[in-house]
Every structure is written in C-alpha cells, then in structure tokens.
C-alpha cells in the first residue's frame, strides 16, 4: 500500500486527481517497470471490467503531459511506458531483449554534453546496449 500512497502523492504533486483508474494504471506500470499499452490494458481489465482501451490511452496521455509517465521506444518492440520516478539509464540486452534500469546518476553526462555543445542541458535519456547478466 505504500507504493499506492507514493503514486497518489506523485499524482497530486503534478496537479492531477488521484482517481482509482490513474492509481491502478500507475500501480501496474510501477509493478511492471516497463509495459506496453496492450499488456497494461489486459491487466487492468481484470480489475476494472468496464474499463475501455480509450480510457487507458486518455489517462496515459494525461500522465505523460504531467511528466509522470514517459515512453520508451525500442526498435522492434511496441512502445513501452514507465514511471518517471528517478533518473536512470536503460540497458537493453542485444541477445534476449531484456530491458534493465541502471540506477546511475546522469549529471556528469549532462555536464559533459553541455560543456562540449555550449548548450544548457536539463535532462537526458540514455540507452545502452550489450549483454544482460543472464546472457553474458
């Protein structure tokens, strides 16, 4: 239940009402880590029988606009969604396709890019590829 409290706090701090649907959507995304819309809908439909796919899309869009959820595009896969809880780097296994979050601070990378480009860098999304621990 602590995760639900955190999700409720996150929603409210971004100016969104903590509706039952949004709480469930964020909870499923949090549990999965990275999830495509069809899998998300299938899981939610078991909990809310009357839920429509359009409602899921509408809520995902609202959550993305608020900066709570982001998309992860991986070549050859459906678009995945994740909660923006912390800065991290994505590691994608080039053998099995497994996606792992590497909890590494990206500030040094942002500073280096800012220094080299002369631009103000406020954020970054980094994806690295290689073998996961199972495939190595």
């Amino acid at each position: 239940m602590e995760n639900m409290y955190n999700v409720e706090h996150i929603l409210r701090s971004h100016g969104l009402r903590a509706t039952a649907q949004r709480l469930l959507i964020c909870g499923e995304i949090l549990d999965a880590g990275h999830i495509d819309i069809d899998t998300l809908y299938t899981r939610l439909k078991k909990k809310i029988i009357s839920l429509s796919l359009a409602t899921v899309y509408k809520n995902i869009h609202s959550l993305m606009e608020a900066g709570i959820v982001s998309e992860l595009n991986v070549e050859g896969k459906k678009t995945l969604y994740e909660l923006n809880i912390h800065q991290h780097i994505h590691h994608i296994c080039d053998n099995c396709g497994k996606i792992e979050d590497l909890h590494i601070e990206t500030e040094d990378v942002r500073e280096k890019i800012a220094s080299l480009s002369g631009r103000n860098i406020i954020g970054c999304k980094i994806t690295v590829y290689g073998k996961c621990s199972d495939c190595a």
Side-chain angles (χ1 to χ4, degrees), residues 5 24 42 52-53 78 87 106 123 128:
Y5 169 76
L24 283 172
T42 300
S52 71
L53 184 57
K78 295 179 180 181
Q87 288 280 329
T106 60
V128 295

Side-chain angles (χ1 to χ4, degrees), residues 12 17 22 53 69-70 74 109-110 115 131-132:
R12 291 194 174 147
R17 289 185 309 121
R22 286 184 183 144
L53 184 57
V69 168
S70 64
V74 178
V109 174
R110 291 191 312 262
S115 171
K131 301 275 187 275
C132 69

Side-chain angles (χ1 to χ4, degrees), residues 77-136:
K77 291 187 178 228
K78 295 179 180 181
T79 299
L80 300 171
Y81 298 91
E82 67 178 345
L83 290 183
N84 288 329
I85 295 175
H86 47 76
Q87 288 280 329
H88 60 275
I89 296 171
H90 291 111
H91 177 270
I92 301 175
C93 180
D94 57 10
N95 187 51
C96 70
K98 180 180 178 180
I99 301 170
E100 297 176 294
D101 291 343
L102 304 177
H103 301 284
I104 300 169
E105 178 53 53
T106 60
E107 187 171 340
D108 291 342
V109 174
R110 291 191 312 262
E111 287 175 4
K112 183 69 171 177
I113 293 170
S115 171
L116 292 171
S117 68
R119 291 184 168 66
N120 179 24
I121 307 297
I122 59 171
C124 65
K125 292 184 179 185
I126 300 172
T127 303
V128 295
Y129 299 86
K131 301 275 187 275
C132 69
S133 56
D134 293 336
C135 293

Side-chain angles (χ1 to χ4, degrees), residues 4-113:
M4 278 299 129
Y5 169 76
N6 291 340
V7 170
E8 184 175 342
H9 175 73
I10 291 168
L11 288 168
R12 291 194 174 147
S13 69
H14 284 83
L16 294 177
R17 289 185 309 121
T19 64
Q21 292 167 337
R22 286 184 183 144
L23 288 170
L24 283 172
I25 288 169
C26 289
E28 285 296 330
I29 295 172
L30 183 63
D31 288 345
H34 309 94
I35 192 168
D36 66 78
I37 200 85
D38 294 328
T39 304
L40 177 61
Y41 175 67
T42 300
R43 290 182 182 180
L44 292 169
K45 189 75 172 163
K46 292 175 184 174
K47 297 175 181 179
I48 307 174
I49 296 170
S50 63
L51 185 70
S52 71
L53 184 57
T55 299
V56 176
Y57 272 107
K58 184 181 105 181
N59 278 287
I60 287 289
H61 182 72
S62 295
L63 294 166
M64 286 177 50
E65 279 185 345
I68 297 169
V69 168
S70 64
E71 289 182 335
L72 174 60
N73 295 302
V74 178
E75 187 176 334
K77 291 187 178 228
K78 295 179 180 181
T79 299
L80 300 171
Y81 298 91
E82 67 178 345
L83 290 183
N84 288 329
I85 295 175
H86 47 76
Q87 288 280 329
H88 60 275
I89 296 171
H90 291 111
H91 177 270
I92 301 175
C93 180
D94 57 10
N95 187 51
C96 70
K98 180 180 178 180
I99 301 170
E100 297 176 294
D101 291 343
L102 304 177
H103 301 284
I104 300 169
E105 178 53 53
T106 60
E107 187 171 340
D108 291 342
V109 174
R110 291 191 312 262
E111 287 175 4
K112 183 69 171 177
I113 293 170

